[in-house]
Amino acid sequence: MPNPKLFSVTRRRLLTGSAQAAVMIGAMHYVPALAQDTSRAVIAQAYDAQPRNLLAFRGGNFPWIKNVFETLTYTDPETFEPQPELATDWTLSDDGMTLTLNLRDDVTFHTGRKMTAADVKYSLETAALPETASQIGFIARSFKAIDTPSDTQVVITFSQPTSNVWDLFEETPIIDKETYAEREDGSKVIGTGPYKFVSWTPGAELQLSRYDGYRDKDAAKIHDLDYAIIADPTATIAAVRSGRAQIGYGMTPRDVIEFDRNPMYTIVSTAGTIYPFGVNVEEGPFDQKTVRQAVGYAIDRQRIIDQVFDGAGTPTDLFWSPSSPGYTEEQANRYSYDPEKASKMLEDAGAKGAKVTIVIPAIPANRSIFEIVQNNLREVGLEPEARVLDVAEYDQRQVAGDLGQSFILIHGQVGFQTATLLSSLPSLRKGNPSHFWSDEYETLRNAVSAASTADDQAKAVTALSEYMLDEAFTLALLQAPSPSVVSADLEGVSFSRRGYILFKNATYR
Amino acid sequence: MFGFLLRKLPAVILVAFVSSIIAFTLPRLAPGDPAITVAGSDATQEQLEAVREELGLNQPMPVQYIHWLTGALQSDFGQSYVMRRPVSTVIADRLESTLELAGLATIIMIVVGLGLGVLAGTERTPWGRAVLDVATTILLATPPFLTGLILILIFGIAFQLLPVSGEVNLSKDPVMGFKFLILPAIALALPQSAMIARLLQTTMNSTRGEDFVDLAKAKGVPRGRIVRKHVLRNSLGPAIVAIGLRIGDLLAGAIIIEAIFARNGLGALAIYAVQSRDYYVLQALILGAVIVAVLIQLLSEILIAALDPRIRLEG
């Protein structure tokens, strides 16, 4: 017979046990101390920093790099005009082939050494090297010469008029040639910005602290910046909600829903991502232009935005920023959702029932977009199926321009000038996975690069867009912003149009 | 015991050697390229080739293997392609976090598992048995990530009693470190402890029906002594083997727990290394995992022999 004394849960025991547990937990009461420390801000970001790739765009560098490094110019988010940063002013020769930049003379690196024109020349030349992997290094590679007549003047001679040189200036941090080789492991990451790089634990955290030698003594009022690398979105939400982090950087629209309309947080949307649908024009049925255009009419972009991005995003057939010269609403919405038209075009082309393999990377947004695209294409008579690739394999095949019959890509270069995107985006450059290239395409691209005035640029971009829409080898589908959550305790934190966080003027309320 | 270990040595060396070949080959069989992580997905073929050259990825595989193995024998496991630091440094930076998590989770697993197992494996009232069975079943059915999320919601967001994101090493601040550690360790340990409890309960129930237990009862041995000295001691063997195996599962489960509690241990490093195809880091982690498993297995055998006089290590 069981012994009742061995185990008996009486009410008194239960209450006593509960009370003891409550006291124990109470004794461990945790107040999120970091949130109340106004000398420090914590930023949660999904991707690790990559000090090796200072001159290439890396998601993990966006939240910190522009606090440690400065650039020659930046683009005004309102007017889109270049504004002085390390360059004070500039002059373009009448023929558009020579640009003379004057530099500030009060800039020092974090080592204390004065920055000179030689450092600017070194930075631009390094950006041009293939191993630097700068997406816009091709602009620097096209320079005929970089001269430094004095410590505060740089003269660049172009081999052809280069309207997108401002993208290069804004995206190329001025690096210290004496320590650049030691940046790889994070031991010496030396810039000229208001914060200096203190330490980096790969995959875990990054620490910056105020640079006392910075020329503007009122800058960097928050003394320390800690970056926590948190790959899991749920953990990022927990970090912000529990008060550990004041900023959750680069979250998805779905993740920020719970911060919406909460007065303790502000949601900031910047730059973002383009999700193009591309086809290989050498493989049937996409070797027929009519079929490619039919696919354009078949896809319901608004539904993708509503269901995948919770309404945040712009449906568009174009890769360019809506505010850029030559971007027209008519062209952006050329392929408005019209399944009946798409169905008829496919029937006329004899492509009904064609099997279509769509390659997608194993990224949640791309998978969700595929679900809708698959449904849309089935409605009009195609038979789509997914081939999901691990991101590493997908990237490898994208670089090789070998993604198969059709594919849903992901590009993060929103905000660049059209001339830059033409050569930096894998979808559009030579060797693209659509295997599309023609003399007319090349001529129209060159016209965009050579256009020196806004009017000329607008005309050239419109003409190129018209051609690309007609050929329909790749359609942007949509541009989705990248939201970040900022605690209401912070003020003065700004985001550049490309999504960099700037803490120069940040303070606690 | 020394003889036992000496006899096991050739097998351990063979396992380590074969594991080194698998650890080297396996990551390279998967599509992808560490140079892509460095060069970026937008890189051109020319940029990719330049980075491959810089990282030494263009060398033939056997040359790379011999180069790595020679280094590994001298404690040099190469340099991370992505982090640009020695692999040993990268792993050492993360080791304490994982050891602390796995260590505390192991203690919780053993205490809760054996405690629940003994409670459930001894005679009790129908109500007591029902409560224990339900508790064990719930713990068994709840995966660590769900336990973790529930703990985060209750203790980190609803009441903010304990930190639920990040970590502080115990060596730096034991009190704060423990606060950061306790929730992930509980989340990790509970399902494993329920398995041990269920195993121990079953074994104890079976042992209670053995002749030697009846003999002890007939001789008038007190009930508590029968449970401790006869039933429990003879039932612990399978539980110890299970604990050894569960420690391996704890390390695997730590990958998810580290992710949701934003801890930066070896699990998070392994995920990062797989995603970025950081071969040298992956190789060291795979090899390390195999060696740890072998050592735990040896330790289990030694412990079982110590508990059961019928088993002799030299036998």
Side-chain angles (χ1 to χ4, degrees):
Chain A
M1 184 179 168
N3 182 354
K5 284 187 179 174
L6 279 176
F7 186 85
S8 61
V9 182
T10 64
R11 191 175 297 167
R12 179 176 292 178
R13 271 193 191 180
L14 189 67
L15 287 173
T16 311
S18 304
Q20 284 171 343
V23 169
M24 279 176 68
I25 292 169
M28 296 170 77
H29 185 73
Y30 168 73
V31 178
L34 295 178
Q36 294 160 1
D37 182 356
T38 55
S39 68
R40 178 182 302 274
V42 179
I43 302 95
Q45 60 179 79
Y47 299 106
D48 193 14
Q50 289 192 19
R52 184 206 178 269
N53 292 311
L54 294 175
L55 299 172
F57 322 134
R58 293 290 183 271
N61 287 349
F62 273 46
W64 66 271
I65 194 166
K66 292 244 171 170
N67 299 293
V68 176
F69 292 90
E70 294 174 296
T71 53
L72 289 172
T73 61
Y74 71 94
T75 303
D76 186 311
E78 304 290 327
T79 64
F80 292 92
E81 289 295 322
Q83 301 295 318
E85 190 162 317
L86 292 178
T88 54
D89 56 274
W90 45 87
T91 318
L92 185 65
S93 64
D94 290 342
D95 62 357
M97 297 296 281
T98 306
L99 181 68
T100 304
L101 296 137
N102 293 312
L103 308 175
R104 296 183 71 108
D105 65 354
D106 57 352
V107 179
T108 58
F109 285 104
H110 300 150
T111 54
R113 185 175 71 81
K114 199 164 182 175
M115 184 207 79
T116 67
D119 294 300
V120 174
K121 179 178 160 74
Y122 177 76
S123 301
L124 296 175
E125 286 175 346
T126 307
L129 298 173
E131 58 267 33
T132 303
S134 167
Q135 290 91 331
I136 51 172
F138 69 92
I139 302 174
R141 273 199 293 282
S142 73
F143 293 170
K144 202 169 180 181
I146 304 173
D147 297 310
T148 52
S150 74
D151 278 354
T152 56
Q153 196 171 65
V154 179
V155 179
I156 297 171
T157 310
F158 302 128
S159 54
Q160 59 187 22
T162 310
S163 60
N164 55 352
V165 72
W166 304 109
D167 279 341
L168 178 73
F169 290 164
E170 185 174 4
E171 298 294 333
T172 304
I174 299 307
I175 51 178
D176 174 26
K177 61 179 179 181
E178 292 183 356
T179 59
Y180 180 66
E182 293 165 81
R183 91 235 172 256
E184 285 203 334
D185 63 356
S187 57
K188 274 192 182 172
V189 182
I190 305 296
T192 63
Y195 285 92
K196 56 187 181 183
F197 192 99
V198 176
S199 67
W200 174 50
T201 307
E205 63 178 0
L206 176 75
Q207 291 181 321
L208 310 184
S209 75
R210 188 178 194 276
Y211 171 45
D212 291 329
Y214 191 64
R215 56 188 179 275
D216 178 358
K217 299 299 173 196
D218 289 332
K221 287 200 172 65
I222 299 175
H223 197 277
D224 298 304
L225 301 177
D226 292 350
Y227 295 82
I229 317 301
I230 304 177
D232 183 72
T234 313
T236 303
I237 293 170
V240 178
R241 286 290 304 274
S242 66
R244 178 195 178 196
Q246 284 70 57
I247 295 181
Y249 180 80
M251 300 166 80
T252 66
R254 192 149 288 175
D255 291 335
V256 300
I257 286 175
E258 68 172 281
F259 297 97
D260 198 17
R261 295 188 192 138
N262 184 336
M264 291 171 68
Y265 305 97
T266 308
I267 297 172
V268 182
S269 289
T270 56
T273 312
I274 308 170
Y275 293 91
F277 180 79
V279 296
N280 185 343
V281 298
E282 291 174 353
E283 280 192 42
F286 300 119
D287 51 351
Q288 298 181 70
K289 190 163 52 175
T290 315
V291 176
R292 304 198 294 264
Q293 291 172 338
V295 168
Y297 288 114
I299 298 174
D300 187 351
R301 294 156 181 73
Q302 192 57 49
R303 186 177 165 197
I304 295 173
I305 289 171
D306 291 342
Q307 292 186 359
V308 181
F309 300 98
D310 288 293
T314 308
T316 181
D317 296 325
L318 302 176
F319 287 82
W320 341 127
S321 168
S323 54
S324 64
Y327 183 101
T328 69
E329 284 302 318
E330 189 280 318
Q331 286 185 332
N333 297 298
R334 174 70 55 84
Y335 291 106
S336 54
Y337 179 51
D338 190 343
E340 284 176 16
K341 186 174 184 177
S343 180
K344 186 166 186 320
M345 289 171 82
L346 287 175
E347 193 155 2
D348 292 346
K352 283 267 186 180
K355 286 198 166 117
V356 175
T357 304
I358 303 175
V359 172
I360 52 172
I363 295 172
N366 288 62
R367 284 174 184 257
S368 304
I369 291 172
F370 167 78
E371 297 293 333
I372 295 170
V373 169
Q374 180 187 41
N375 194 39
N376 289 156
L377 295 186
R378 271 195 190 136
E379 274 179 334
V380 298
L382 293 175
E383 287 186 29
E385 61 176 22
R387 184 165 176 221
V388 183
L389 298 182
D390 177 64
V391 174
E393 183 183 3
Y394 182 89
D395 287 346
Q396 190 180 31
R397 291 184 59 174
Q398 177 173 270
V399 171
D402 175 27
L403 282 171
Q405 192 184 18
S406 65
F407 31 86
I408 298 172
L409 299 160
I410 176 167
H411 295 325
Q413 298 184 31
V414 171
F416 278 134
Q417 289 184 41
T418 305
T420 303
L421 292 173
L422 286 172
S423 295
S424 64
L425 283 183
S427 284
L428 308 180
R429 69 189 180 202
K430 201 160 197 172
N432 58 67
S434 295
H435 296 189
F436 180 84
W437 200 261
S438 70
D439 291 343
E440 190 175 354
Y441 183 47
E442 189 162 8
T443 305
L444 289 164
R445 287 165 55 98
N446 290 342
V448 171
S449 299
S452 53
T453 66
D455 277 352
D456 288 349
Q457 249 183 44
K459 280 180 196 161
V461 170
T462 306
L464 173 69
S465 301
E466 196 59 38
Y467 178 73
M468 287 174 62
L469 287 169
D470 183 56
E471 290 293 341
F473 62 95
T474 179
L475 296 168
L477 295 189
L478 65 117
Q479 295 187 10
S482 174
S484 295
V485 176
V486 182
S487 164
D489 293 339
L490 285 174
E491 65 178 356
V493 178
S494 56
F495 288 73
S496 80
R497 74 190 171 114
R498 296 257 307 115
Y500 296 101
I501 310 184
L502 309 166
F503 279 94
K504 190 175 173 180
N505 301 314
T507 56
Y508 276 93
R509 288 183 198 279
Chain B
M1 193 171 73
F2 181 73
F4 166 76
L5 291 175
L6 204 62
R7 274 188 293 108
K8 289 281 180 184
L9 193 62
V12 171
I13 291 172
L14 184 67
V15 167
F17 177 67
V18 173
S19 302
S20 78
I21 295 174
I22 294 170
F24 182 85
T25 316
L26 209 58
R28 286 168 172 80
L29 288 178
D33 187 344
I36 290 277
T37 310
V38 176
S41 58
D42 298 339
T44 61
Q45 200 67 42
E46 181 197 10
Q47 288 173 323
L48 186 66
E49 283 308 315
V51 170
R52 284 185 64 81
E53 186 68 40
E54 190 186 358
L55 297 179
L57 286 161
N58 287 334
Q59 289 178 327
M61 283 227 325
V63 174
Q64 289 185 46
Y65 173 71
I66 290 167
H67 178 73
W68 172 68
L69 190 65
T70 314
L73 291 172
Q74 299 162 46
S75 307
D76 175 8
F77 291 90
Q79 191 182 48
S80 159
Y81 289 121
V82 181
M83 304 173 215
R84 312 302 293 150
R85 289 186 182 183
V87 170
S88 49
T89 308
V90 170
I91 290 177
D93 285 346
R94 307 291 193 99
L95 193 59
E96 183 178 347
S97 171
T98 297
L99 286 181
E100 286 172 359
L101 179 60
L104 186 60
T106 304
I107 292 169
I108 294 171
M109 176 181 78
I110 293 171
V111 170
V112 176
L114 294 186
L116 263 180
V118 171
L119 282 175
T122 44
E123 293 174 90
R124 24 207 85 266
T125 62
W127 268 104
R129 185 176 300 283
V131 168
L132 284 166
D133 281 348
V134 168
T136 314
T137 306
I138 289 174
L139 291 180
L140 263 175
T142 314
F145 76 88
L146 187 58
T147 314
L149 289 176
I150 292 169
L151 292 174
I152 286 174
L153 278 174
I154 296 172
F155 295 98
I157 292 174
F159 298 108
Q160 297 209 347
L161 294 170
L162 286 164
V164 292
S165 176
E167 65 188 308
V168 172
N169 285 343
L170 290 175
S171 59
K172 280 188 186 163
D173 184 342
V175 176
M176 189 53 93
F178 185 74
K179 288 179 182 177
F180 274 93
L181 193 57
I182 185 72
L183 291 183
I186 289 173
L188 187 56
L190 285 185
Q192 308 295 347
S193 61
M195 288 183 202
I196 290 164
R198 186 55 60 87
L199 183 69
L200 186 58
Q201 178 190 2
T202 312
T203 323
M204 282 179 76
N205 285 339
S206 160
T207 310
R208 262 208 318 276
E210 295 284 343
D211 291 344
F212 62 86
V213 176
D214 290 338
L215 179 65
K217 279 181 187 170
K219 284 169 71 180
V221 179
R223 186 183 295 274
R225 189 176 166 80
I226 289 175
V227 170
R228 284 195 312 275
K229 296 284 181 185
H230 296 279
V231 180
L232 182 59
R233 185 161 182 167
N234 283 290
S235 307
L236 274 177
I240 286 170
V241 173
I243 287 170
L245 295 172
R246 293 295 147 203
I247 290 173
D249 286 354
L250 281 182
L251 291 171
I255 292 174
I256 296 163
I257 290 299
E258 283 176 1
I260 63 173
F261 283 92
R263 294 179 64 85
N264 297 298
L266 293 178
L269 180 66
I271 292 176
Y272 185 68
V274 169
Q275 287 172 340
S276 56
R277 302 288 192 270
D278 205 339
Y279 296 151
Y280 284 136
V281 176
L282 266 178
Q283 286 161 215
L285 287 174
I286 294 171
L287 200 57
V290 171
I291 289 170
V292 167
V294 168
L295 291 179
I296 290 172
Q297 181 63 34
L298 286 178
L299 196 64
S300 299
E301 287 185 35
I302 293 168
L303 267 177
I304 290 168
L307 276 169
D308 190 341
R310 289 171 298 182
I311 299 171
R312 289 283 172 270
L313 292 175
E314 281 78 12

